[in-house]
Amino acid sequence: MRPMHHIISTKEYTREMFDNILELAEKLEPVACGEIKSEIMAGKILALLFFEPSTRTRMSFEVAMLRLGGQILNMGSVEASSIAKGESLADTIRVISQYADAAILRHPREGAALMASEYSSIPIINGGDGAGHHPTQTLLDLYTIKRESHLDNLNIALAGDLKYGRTIHSLCYALSRYDAKINLVSPPELRLPDRIAEDLKMRKIDITITDNLEDVIEEVDVLYMTRIQKERFPDPAEFTSVSASMRITREMIQNAKPDMKIMHPLPRISEIDPDVDATPHAAYFEQAFYGVPVRMAILCKVLGMEDKI
Ligand code: NCD
């Protein structure tokens, strides 16, 4: 019997669940950077089902599996699969369940991963469902905060597209388990959806809302920037009007705390001036690396291998 464990959203996660994965990731870091060899996943196959573009999520799951001695089964592009003939997601999942031991799914429709989990006999990992959730990104974001800053008494700004940004939605729920102070920074059109703001209020989280980064930049420990999610705008004209409004430059961070860290799930478009990359504040490329040990930990968890680490 395979242990069954889907990863769909961070909403129901407790602090203990987050901490447990972060601890496993820490142990796996030497394997993630190739210092120590591992065969924990020998004989295991991870299916990659990407219905939307991806670089980091796809490749860091691939490298995580490969460095643990496992293998990858990639569905490839939607155009090259039977989806292009009109096959349903439910049928695709039923079939892939018989080929692989776990699957990572990225899909443009909110709720797709939850739906897939209902048809799957293997663990489904949500790699992003439309403007919904992105739980594995959140786990690596927490890990980055823990490594590069601190999770206790954290003062964080979440900036950019809070409306459509799924990384933000998942991160908000996670930060609520750490009693972080959250500063929401976005143009008024791109505020956090009401249902999430309500949930945070119920969890009694300390929140401020502004449309100006300069209001919070000097007080935060972490500035989490995000891309305006162009592909989710129903009206392209609306995108054009907000796209230039959030941009961080070297001048703007001059009076930030010396150990303030800037994070970004990437890809960045114009939200962070490349001049910022060489400052000690930039943590986004380290963040991309941390995706590897964290996704190793996630794979060990869903496949019931954590005792072997
Ligand atoms: C994010 C996503 O796909 O939601 N990318 C990622 O997984 N690192 C962020 C984005 O696309 O803006």
Side-chain angles (χ1 to χ4, degrees):
M1 259 298 275
R2 290 194 187 101
M4 194 64 201
H5 191 178
H6 303 296
I7 298 198
I8 306 300
S9 115
T10 51
K11 208 167 156 179
E12 314 306 334
Y13 270 58
T14 62
R15 183 169 173 153
E16 289 67 36
M17 288 158 86
F18 287 122
D19 285 342
N20 174 240
I21 293 182
L22 304 190
E23 279 158 27
L24 293 178
E26 204 153 350
K27 284 197 210 162
L28 286 161
E29 242 192 72
V31 184
C33 62
E35 262 169 40
I36 294 180
K37 289 219 175 307
S38 169
E39 290 294 331
I40 298 180
M41 292 286 166
K44 297 289 179 196
I45 296 177
L46 174 69
L48 305 176
L49 312 175
F50 281 80
F51 292 73
E52 274 193 342
S54 171
T55 300
R56 275 150 292 272
T57 304
R58 181 172 53 80
M59 295 188 76
S60 63
F61 264 110
E62 279 189 39
V63 75
M65 198 63 184
L66 295 174
R67 288 219 193 267
L68 289 171
Q71 283 170 301
I72 296 297
L73 182 64
N74 193 348
M75 182 188 77
S77 70
V78 171
E79 295 74 34
S81 75
S82 281
I83 308 284
K85 297 181 187 172
E87 184 167 55
S88 68
L89 178 62
D91 282 0
T92 304
I93 294 292
R94 282 187 179 113
V95 172
I96 284 160
S97 289
Q98 302 180 75
Y99 296 162
D101 299 290
I104 160 107
L105 172 70
R106 170 169 288 186
H107 199 279
R109 198 167 65 236
E110 206 170 322
L114 179 62
M115 188 275 252
S117 70
E118 283 156 12
Y119 290 92
S120 179
S121 56
I122 58 172
I124 295 292
I125 303 168
N126 183 3
D129 60 326
H133 297 270
H134 196 346
T136 71
Q137 177 70 43
T138 289
L139 285 159
L140 81 89
D141 292 342
L142 291 181
Y143 190 73
T144 307
I145 296 170
K146 185 177 171 192
R147 293 296 308 271
E148 303 289 325
S149 182
H150 50 87
L151 275 164
D152 290 318
N153 299 315
L154 177 72
N155 188 343
I156 186 168
L158 305 179
D161 188 344
L162 312 184
K163 181 176 181 183
Y164 297 115
R166 55 197 175 194
T167 65
I168 294 283
H169 302 165
S170 292
L171 187 55
C172 279
Y173 285 111
L175 292 171
S176 75
R177 299 298 190 206
Y178 290 89
D179 297 322
K181 173 167 190 217
I182 304 179
N183 303 277
L184 300 171
V185 190
S186 72
E189 303 87 332
L190 296 181
R191 295 240 165 100
L192 200 64
D194 286 345
R195 61 177 198 284
I196 301 177
E198 285 301 315
D199 285 345
L200 295 181
K201 212 185 281 170
M202 300 247 292
R203 291 182 186 193
K204 302 201 173 9
I205 301 308
D206 187 1
I207 288 180
T208 68
I209 298 177
T210 174
D211 53 11
N212 189 354
L213 268 170
E214 317 223 12
D215 288 350
V216 296
I217 199 86
E218 290 176 25
E219 67 177 63
V220 295
D221 305 304
V222 172
L223 168 59
Y224 190 96
M225 292 295 292
T226 58
R227 174 179 72 89
I228 310 288
Q229 307 281 298
K230 184 178 183 181
E231 66 277 31
R232 315 238 182 265
F233 278 67
D235 176 5
E238 200 193 327
F239 169 75
T240 316
S241 72
V242 295
S243 64
S245 63
M246 283 280 143
R247 180 176 170 83
I248 188 100
T249 62
R250 215 170 166 139
E251 296 74 68
M252 284 168 73
I253 52 176
Q254 255 165 16
N255 295 322
K257 290 184 180 175
D259 55 358
M260 185 274 283
K261 295 292 177 189
I262 302 173
M263 294 170 57
H264 193 306
L266 302 175
R268 81 169 136 184
I269 309 304
S270 56
E271 316 77 66
I272 304 176
D273 190 295
D275 267 3
V276 175
D277 299 359
T279 69
H281 301 293
Y284 25 95
F285 294 115
E286 284 83 0
Q287 185 183 355
F289 165 72
Y290 292 139
V292 182
V294 170
R295 285 171 169 139
M296 284 178 165
I298 291 168
L299 290 168
C300 289
K301 229 35 226 172
V302 299
L303 290 169
M305 306 274 189
E306 59 190 295
D307 295 344
K308 297 197 178 166
I309 296 173

